[in-house]
Structures are given as structure tokens and as C-alpha cells.
Amino acid sequence: MTQNQSVLEWMEKMKELVCPDRVIWIDGTQEQLESLRAEACKTGEMIKLNEEKLPGCYLHRTAVNDVARVEGRTFICSRSEEDAGPTNHWMEPSKAYEMLYGIAKNSYRGRTMYVIPYSMGPVGSPFAKIGVELTDSIYVVLNMSIMTRVGSEVLETLGNSSDWVRGLHCKCEIDEEKRYICHFPEDNTIISVNSGYGGNVLLGKKCFALRIASFLGKNEGWMAEHMLILGIQNPLGEIKYVAAAFPSACGKTNLAMLVPPEFYRKKGYKIWTVGDDIAWMRIGPDGRLWAINPENGFFGVAPGTNEKSNPNALATTKSGTIFTNVVHNLDDNTVWWEGLDHNPPKNAVDWKGRPWDGTSSKEKGAHPNSRFTAPAKNCPCISPEFENGRGVPISAIIFGGRRARTTPLVYQSRDWNNGVFVGSIMASETTAAATGAVGVVRRDPMAMLPFCGYHMGDYFKHWIDMGERLGDKAPKIFNVNWFRLDDEGHFIWPGFGDNLRVLEWILKRCEDKADAVDTPIGFVPKAEDINLSGLDLTVDTLKTILNVDSADWTKEADGIEEFYQKFGDKLPKELKTELKKLKEKLA
Ligand code: GTP
Ligand code: SPV
Ligand code: MN
């Protein structure tokens, strides 16, 4: 498949280590993928679903101990511990290699090594980067073939270059105690052992496109962010693009594919999805910030996805999709999950592979972090710019999290550095996307806490530097919170498609066409400036979620101060100044 010496040498070295019975290069052809699908169905690794209702779709169940990212077992193995910073787990590289090679040794015995050449970004486009993942899992091959651009074309583009990311995945025996997701930023290398779950094993995604790429971005002057990208077309036909960073399972896929409420549809508003999880952003020749989505598919949260909340995502999953850890409806050989509709199947199998009838068991049928892997090209609102390797220009950057109180529905930062401060103090309730407690508020700067491949203090500095380079062409920075709760624990804001009402205000602010209230944390909309037509939400209720409570924020400022201490000397002075200004305004 290739004459590239660096690829061949590394592949041979890994082959000697893991000892596969045979090696298969993934060429990206449909014939090869089809034969792998057939093989996975024969071994039970995947189940072929109803060809009429869900053509080309499959179901997979992971091991029950392997259902989410494992942040506690994810390591940045930089040469110096300081470079990994206080928010990452660190392991000394030679120790890490020794331990990982010990676990990987002979682990492919009796198995096949699949070699997956893949491109993050359209093949050969200026922002694209190449990786090669070795895996012993057909599930990984098939998911990578949806999530990235895979095949011989990638190796042709690589030529003789040694500039590519090495990735070794060994499924091993899915032993939690020996599960490790390790990144060697200085070696462009990722090693993942003892897992078969998405974010741990689809190495192009979080491991490469965020952890390794964020490190490359800092050194090369660009940004790799945990952000969706969407285009908002107004009735005049103009399209403005925004990028938004929300922590895992906090609404990126939903916002990226939103369907405008009727009032907006009638006026002619349209939404175009560019990406739902990752953005690579660079300063273009015109001095503005341009973003591409390096992925080629969506690895989306299944539960809660339905005809009303996210019809575009649902439509995207109707063909060529792999479902993981959802309910298998045996009556018609389709899939189901909580929140799809109110009719759970009577004759089904739950995500653990046990009989399930939707009523007698208290346990959920689908895992809360069950997922679909769907091709981007299926998405009814995929942007015409999706394959454009130069990307799209970003007008606004939006941060957001899941906060039952404190953070208002939306506010705007005062300027770039204040916006970096707003991103750095993001806090959100934890979700099922990572193992561990759910619903605990934690600081998750820029939604990158689990994904920044280097010292978070240096990362903040990189943001400040980018702002300096962008100058007056910098996107405006906002923060949103769709998740404020009332006293009975219900969401106050309707969310989903209605989030366009907030985006409209954001875009107006970018063009100086809307007023705002100056508060200690930044600019908050005047309640009458958020369009509520067609909603049964009163202006008074809206006011409660636009409110900035001084007592809450004084407590918040103390929390920020404590959090900032982690970063010591690496905390940029600009952020110290922003915290000081916030405290002064609150006092
Ligand atoms: P990752 O793929 O883990 O990065 O998640 P994500 O950020 O793409 O989150 P996603 O859009 O899949 O949403 C996760 C959960 O949040 C789902 O259960 C959604 O139903 C719910 N959700 C998304 N948007 C909203 C919203 O506007 N309001 C409310 N109340 N819930 C939402
Ligand atoms: C996330 O957890 O942010 C995801 C899913 O997008 S995973 O690929 O597992 O990281
Ligand atoms: Mn994500």
C-alpha cells in the first residue's frame, strides 16, 4: 500500500510487538468494508439491522465495563511533567512505553492487525493532517471509516513524509485495571489498550484531533478546540458562522443541527451544520479566524435524540450508521433508546444483551452514553462548505455548560481577553460521557479539561496570543446556559431549536444591532430583545434566567480564585487582571 519508510518501519516494529496472525491494510473500498462487516456479523461483534428500515446499519454492544471515556486512565506523556500541567495525568514517556508494550505484547496473537491510514480534514486540503491507526478491532475500522477519511488516497497524499500521527490500539481483554489511553505529544504517538469504547479507541477523534492537535496548534500558531461549527443563514441569504464549545453531552450535536422554530423558518432562516464536536481554527489570509471540522461523521449521544429534539440527527442515522449500546428491538430488528419515543419495544434486548420489555425492568434499556456513528453526508442540513478545506470564517465563539443556576441564559464578554477569562472559568455538571459521578459541577475550561494535550496555563496564554494576532478581526465571545432549572427541577428554557433565538441576539451583537445590559460579568440581553414569538414563555420568566445574582457570583469568584491557584506562574497575567476586575465590579 505504501513505500513510506517511516510508516513501514513503525508498522513492522509494532507487528513484532503484538504478533498478529495477519495484516490487512484498509484501502477504503466498499468491497473491503463490506467483507469486514460480514465478518463482524459472523463473529457476533456486530448485528446487521433491518435492511429496509435501516439500510447499511449495525448494532454493537461494548463490554459492560467499557462504556465511556476514562479520564482517570488518560495520560499525557510529555518528557517533562510540567508540560502536561496540573489538569492532566502524566507518566514519564519511557516508563509509559515500557508498561504499554508489556500489555500490548503478543496481544494480537490469533488475530488480525488492521492498518488504517486516515486523514483529519478533507484529504490533501491545507489544514488536513494524517494518522495511521493499528487496531485488532473491526468495530474500530468501521467506525473510523465513518468518522474520518480512510484509505489508499491518504497514503498517496502522505508520500514519503514522516509527518503523521502513530496510533496503536490493542483491545486486549478489556481489563479495566490495565486500561490506558496514553499520548506522547513530542513523538506524535498515541497508544490505547484494554478498551473498545469510542472516545478511547477511535484515535483520530479526541486523542489526535484534540490532545495531540492542541499541542501542535500551540507550537504552530493555530487552535484545536472541542467545538461545533454551524452556519446561520438569515432571510437575506447571508450566512454567518459560529463555533461553540460545550462539555461532553452538553448539547453540541443538538445545536449544530438545530431546526429553526416555525416563526424563523417562515421568515427564511436556515441552519447549516459544519461540525458537531471538533474545530481546527487558523487565521486566514484576510486576518479572520477560519475553522474546519476535521471529522467526516458524527459520534452522537443517542438518548434524548428524537423527531422533535433533533430531527436532523435522527435522519442522519437512517442509513450507514453503527449504533452502540442501544436497545435492540427484536420484533422488527431495529433500535430504540430512552427519549426516542414513548413506545419502548416489548420484545427487545437491552444494552447489556439481556432480554428487555420496556416495562418490567427499572433499568434503562440503552446506556445513557449510548451513541450513533453516522456519516456527515447523511445530514439533511450538512453545510455546502463541509468539504471546503479552507474552512468557514467565524463571527462568534460561544462557550457554554450545564448549570442549574448562577450562569445566565446568555452573556457577552467585554473583549477578547475577557472572553478568554469567560472560557477559562467555565463550569458544568458532569455527564455520562466519561466514567465517574454524574451531575457534579466541575471547572471545565473551554470544554477542554479532558482534551488539552499540554499545560492548561500555556493553553490560556495561547488563546490570549491568538487574540492579539486577530486584533479587531477577532470573533466576539459569548457564554450560554440552556440548563437553568426551576424549583421543581424542570428546565426553564425550552432549548433545542429555540436556541436560535439566542443565536439571533448573538449575531445582532456582532453587528452592533442589539442593545445590552452591562452587568458585573458582561453584557446580558434586555429581555425584550430575545424573540419569544410562538413560545409559551413569559418575559418575566425569561428575566429570571437572564438574571446575574451578585451573591452567587461572589461565591463563583472565590471558586475561580481557588481554581486559578492550580496554574501558579503559568496563569497569564491577563486572566489575573480579569478576575480582579470581576471582583471589583461585584463589590
Ligand atoms: P458529546 O458528543 O459528548 O461531545 O456531546 P454533545 O455536546 O454533542 O451533546 P448532545 O448534543 O449530544 O446533547 C447531550 C444531551 O443534552 C442530550 O440528552 C440532549 O437531549 C441534551 N440537550 C441538548 N441540547 C439541549 C438543550 O438545548 N436543552 C436541554 N434541556 N437539553 C439539551
Ligand atoms: C465526548 O465525550 O466529548 C464525545 C464522545 O464526543 S467521545 O468520542 O467518547 O469522546
Ligand atoms: Mn465531544
Side-chain angles (χ1 to χ4, degrees):
M1 282 267 290
T2 182
Q3 305 293 319
N4 183 306
Q5 280 309 309
S6 60
V7 172
L8 293 174
E9 274 167 27
W10 181 75
M11 212 271 294
E12 279 306 318
K13 185 174 153 197
M14 292 302 113
K15 198 173 133 189
E16 241 165 70
L17 173 74
V18 299
C19 269
D21 279 13
R22 53 184 192 145
V23 175
I24 294 181
W25 290 75
I26 301 303
D27 58 19
T29 60
Q30 275 314 311
E31 298 75 62
Q32 188 185 46
L33 293 176
E34 200 46 46
S35 81
L36 290 173
R37 289 182 194 114
E39 191 178 333
C41 289
K42 216 162 64 193
T43 61
E45 190 179 353
M46 299 212 303
I47 295 166
K48 167 121 185 72
L49 296 168
N50 187 320
E51 183 60 25
E52 249 153 60
K53 293 188 174 171
L54 295 168
C57 292
Y58 294 81
L59 169 67
H60 171 80
R61 289 191 281 264
T62 65
V64 295
N65 72 2
D66 190 28
V67 293
R69 285 182 294 98
V70 281
E71 295 178 3
R73 310 196 69 93
T74 299
F75 291 81
I76 300 299
C77 308
S78 44
R79 272 172 228 135
S80 126
E81 180 169 8
E82 154 115 273
D83 289 342
T87 57
N88 282 311
H89 299 288
W90 175 81
M91 217 185 290
E92 198 275 316
S94 63
K95 276 214 183 98
Y97 280 124
E98 193 187 311
M99 178 198 67
L100 294 163
Y101 288 166
I103 295 171
K105 196 169 169 55
N106 297 332
S107 68
Y108 282 37
R109 273 248 161 92
R111 308 173 63 82
T112 302
M113 173 189 271
Y114 300 98
V115 185
I116 316 171
Y118 64 95
S119 172
M120 300 311 293
V123 182
S125 66
F127 292 10
K129 290 197 176 279
I130 288 174
V132 177
E133 174 167 356
L134 307 180
T135 180
D136 53 347
S137 156
I138 296 181
Y139 172 76
V140 168
V141 173
L142 297 176
N143 273 273
M144 284 293 285
S145 303
I146 298 172
M147 293 305 297
T148 73
R149 283 104 170 155
V150 157
S152 354
E153 211 194 343
V154 174
L155 288 174
E156 280 156 32
T157 304
L158 182 64
N160 279 321
S161 167
S162 56
D163 184 14
W164 52 279
V165 172
R166 291 116 183 97
L168 173 67
H169 166 238
C170 306
K171 211 172 155 185
C172 304
E173 60 281 353
I174 316 290
D175 179 348
E176 281 170 285
E177 298 304 314
K178 290 191 200 156
R179 185 170 300 153
Y180 292 98
I181 321 299
C182 294
H183 308 72
F184 302 83
E186 289 126 342
D187 302 345
N188 262 342
T189 297
I190 305 156
I191 302 181
S192 164
V193 294
N194 275 293
S195 175
Y197 166 76
N200 298 330
V201 300
L202 308 179
L203 301 185
K205 196 172 177 57
K206 296 303 167 48
C207 300
F208 177 169
L210 288 180
R211 298 196 189 97
I212 298 285
S214 62
F215 173 80
L216 296 173
K218 183 200 65 157
N219 294 330
E220 298 167 4
W222 54 281
M223 309 166 94
E225 299 296 335
H226 191 200
M227 289 181 180
L228 67 95
I229 308 164
L230 94 159
I232 302 147
Q233 180 175 333
N234 69 17
L236 300 173
E238 300 159 344
I239 306 179
K240 290 267 155 56
Y241 295 92
V242 305
F246 310 154
S248 303
C250 289
K252 287 183 300 303
T253 303
N254 277 273
L255 189 68
M257 298 181 190
L258 81 78
V259 173
E262 192 172 328
F263 171 84
Y264 286 86
R265 273 203 308 273
K266 281 196 180 141
K267 284 212 306 195
Y269 276 90
K270 280 200 184 105
I271 291 294
W272 301 106
T273 307
V274 181
D276 82 326
D277 199 50
I278 297 175
W280 285 359
M281 306 195 287
R282 279 166 216 253
I283 300 176
D286 62 356
R288 289 190 294 173
L289 192 62
W290 291 71
I292 67 155
N293 167 15
E295 300 192 279
N296 200 27
F298 306 116
F299 186 59
V301 176
T305 306
N306 60 52
E307 202 48 70
K308 197 163 167 282
S309 66
N310 196 346
N312 285 322
L314 202 60
T316 306
T317 65
K318 291 298 178 194
S319 67
T321 293
I322 300 173
F323 297 92
T324 301
N325 292 338
V326 298
V327 175
H328 187 195
N329 181 348
L330 296 179
D331 281 336
D332 64 354
N333 191 24
T334 58
V335 289
W336 190 85
W337 50 77
E338 278 72 19
L340 174 64
D341 54 40
H342 297 295
N343 311 308
K346 302 269 170 311
N347 174 27
V349 175
D350 73 0
W351 72 272
K352 290 183 177 171
R354 304 170 305 188
W356 190 83
D357 64 9
T359 46
S360 51
S361 168
K362 278 198 197 65
E363 279 182 57
K364 291 195 157 126
H367 187 275
N369 191 40
S370 54
R371 298 252 168 187
F372 54 80
T373 316
K377 66 170 177 357
N378 283 3
C379 180
C381 55
I382 196 72
S383 164
E385 302 296 325
F386 177 72
E387 294 287 347
N388 179 347
R390 280 171 311 146
V392 294
I394 299 299
S395 298
I397 288 176
I398 306 171
F399 295 117
R402 211 177 254 275
R403 290 297 293 271
R405 47 185 291 140
T406 310
T407 313
L409 177 66
V410 57
Y411 68 102
Q412 183 185 5
S413 65
R414 295 172 191 286
D415 52 36
W416 180 272
N417 284 356
N418 181 241
V420 176
F421 173 73
V422 168
S424 78
I425 65 166
M426 265 171 69
S428 192
E429 291 145 22
T430 51
T431 66
T435 55
V438 167
V440 182
V441 176
R442 71 166 184 185
R443 299 265 159 220
D444 187 351
M446 285 85 170
M448 283 290 277
L449 181 72
F451 307 120
C452 181
Y454 60 101
H455 196 298
M456 186 70 80
D458 291 333
Y459 169 79
F460 293 155
K461 181 69 171 63
H462 181 46
W463 267 83
I464 303 272
D465 292 345
M466 289 296 293
E468 216 155 89
R469 286 172 56 205
L470 285 158
D472 61 2
K473 299 214 170 84
K476 302 283 187 280
I477 302 182
F478 298 80
N479 193 87
V480 298
N481 176 22
W482 317 137
F483 299 94
R484 286 278 287 255
L485 297 180
D486 64 16
D487 293 338
E488 276 94 56
H490 301 120
F491 293 117
I492 299 171
W493 178 249
F496 302 99
D498 289 310
N499 293 333
L500 181 57
R501 300 168 192 274
V502 173
L503 295 180
E504 187 189 20
W505 182 79
I506 287 175
L507 290 182
K508 277 192 184 153
R509 286 294 294 174
C510 291
E511 295 170 9
D512 273 329
K513 287 184 186 155
D515 211 350
V517 184
D518 195 345
T519 79
I521 62 171
F523 303 112
V524 169
K526 293 188 155 165
E528 60 272 23
D529 286 343
I530 299 281
N531 188 333
L532 298 181
S533 334
L535 266 191
D536 75 1
L537 184 89
T538 65
V539 175
D540 281 340
T541 309
L542 177 63
K543 280 182 182 159
T544 65
I545 51 174
L546 290 175
N547 182 44
V548 176
D549 184 275
S550 295
D552 278 356
W553 275 95
T554 304
K555 243 189 280 160
E556 194 71 8
D558 291 339
I560 296 163
E561 182 149 38
E562 196 193 321
F563 177 65
Y564 268 4
Q565 278 167 9
K566 268 185 196 237
F567 305 105
D569 293 348
K570 292 263 196 185
L571 184 76
K573 61 177 187 319
E574 291 84 352
L575 295 187
K576 268 184 228 163
T577 307
E578 290 300 326
L579 176 57
K580 193 161 152 266
K581 285 199 277 192
L582 173 65
K583 289 191 140 186
E584 281 164 8
K585 283 184 200 289
L586 285 165

